[in-house]
Amino acid sequence: QPDAINRNGAMAECTVNVEKLQPGEMGASASTAPSKEARFKMRLGMGFLDGKKLSPFRLLSSAAFEGMEARLMWPDGPHLKLTFRDQPSLSTLEAAVTKARETASTFRAETTPPRAAQVLTEVPRAPPGTTATPPKRARLEASMRPSEALLRRVEEAKIQKLEEDEDEAAPPPAPLVDSSLCDEDRAQRRARAVE
């Protein structure tokens, strides 16, 4: 009986014959181990053989579909030949593999900028026996030392504060009484008041 395919494209479990292939060409012969029956299931674009998850289809180095067989090879293994018993299950696997590989290739092409050639430059090094950086204590003291601009601002603030204190501390000038002025000063003072 053919296995049903769900609305979301996932296939129900189906029985397949699995042969492990020797690494090499897609047409490589099967290993000396006999083929075994296994339950194959696809869910969310991932393949499962007897409940064990296969490597992602996007990482396949090669995939071939002929007749009722699917040959899947990943760069780091495994190399499998799956023989299906019905066409719908094989078609679902083929569509999932094709989609995953297309998505992976467009993703890599869009997001990976071309690498620029790296130019090796020689890093100048300190002569043997000397350190390239000052000792830790000197670096710490240098980092804690205030900047010139900060010192200048602090000095200006001190001077301004002293001037304000002097102005407040100085006694107010004695009032000039009209009787203590001479006639000319008195005339000038009255003329300014009129204006």
Side-chain angles (χ1 to χ4, degrees):
Q1 90 193 40
D3 294 359
I5 298 176
N6 297 343
R7 283 179 287 164
N8 62 3
M11 79 168 85
E13 280 189 22
C14 65
T15 304
V16 295
N17 288 333
V18 179
E19 293 180 54
K20 292 193 177 188
L21 301 174
Q22 296 294 333
E25 296 293 319
M26 283 302 286
S29 61
S31 67
T32 56
S35 67
K36 67 173 191 162
E37 274 193 3
R39 299 295 291 165
F40 181 76
K41 185 176 189 173
M42 276 199 33
R43 187 170 271 186
L44 301 173
M46 295 293 299
F48 297 86
L49 271 178
D50 285 335
K52 294 181 182 177
K53 185 167 70 170
L54 295 173
S55 296
F57 294 140
R58 64 184 163 78
L59 300 177
L60 281 168
S61 60
S62 60
F65 300 92
E66 297 174 8
M68 298 298 283
E69 292 181 352
R71 291 177 183 246
L72 306 174
M73 295 188 179
W74 285 269
D76 57 349
H79 305 288
L80 302 174
K81 180 174 113 179
L82 305 175
T83 306
F84 285 82
R85 295 182 181 167
D86 59 14
Q87 187 61 40
S89 298
L90 178 66
S91 299
T92 303
L93 172 64
E94 186 174 3
V97 168
T98 304
K99 183 178 178 184
R101 293 180 81 190
E102 285 175 359
T103 303
S105 66
T106 57
F107 179 74
R108 275 191 230 117
E110 291 173 0
T111 59
T112 308
R115 284 189 148 195
Q118 293 181 349
V119 179
L120 296 177
T121 57
E122 188 173 319
V123 178
R125 299 193 181 265
T130 62
T131 59
T133 58
K136 189 174 183 178
R137 182 176 298 241
R139 289 193 313 258
L140 179 64
E141 289 173 357
S143 69
M144 295 177 68
R145 196 173 304 132
S147 67
E148 296 292 325
L150 178 64
L151 291 174
R152 203 173 325 116
R153 278 186 273 148
V154 168
E155 193 62 35
E156 288 172 359
K158 285 180 182 177
I159 292 172
Q160 184 178 5
K161 179 74 173 158
L162 285 175
E163 288 174 355
E164 289 174 3
D165 289 344
E166 287 176 3
D167 290 344
E168 291 173 5
L176 294 175
V177 182
D178 208 32
S179 62
S180 64
L181 295 175
C182 65
D183 291 335
E184 287 179 24
D185 290 336
R186 199 174 300 133
Q188 286 177 352
R189 191 171 185 191
R190 288 182 182 156
R192 270 190 253 143
V194 172
E195 294 176 359

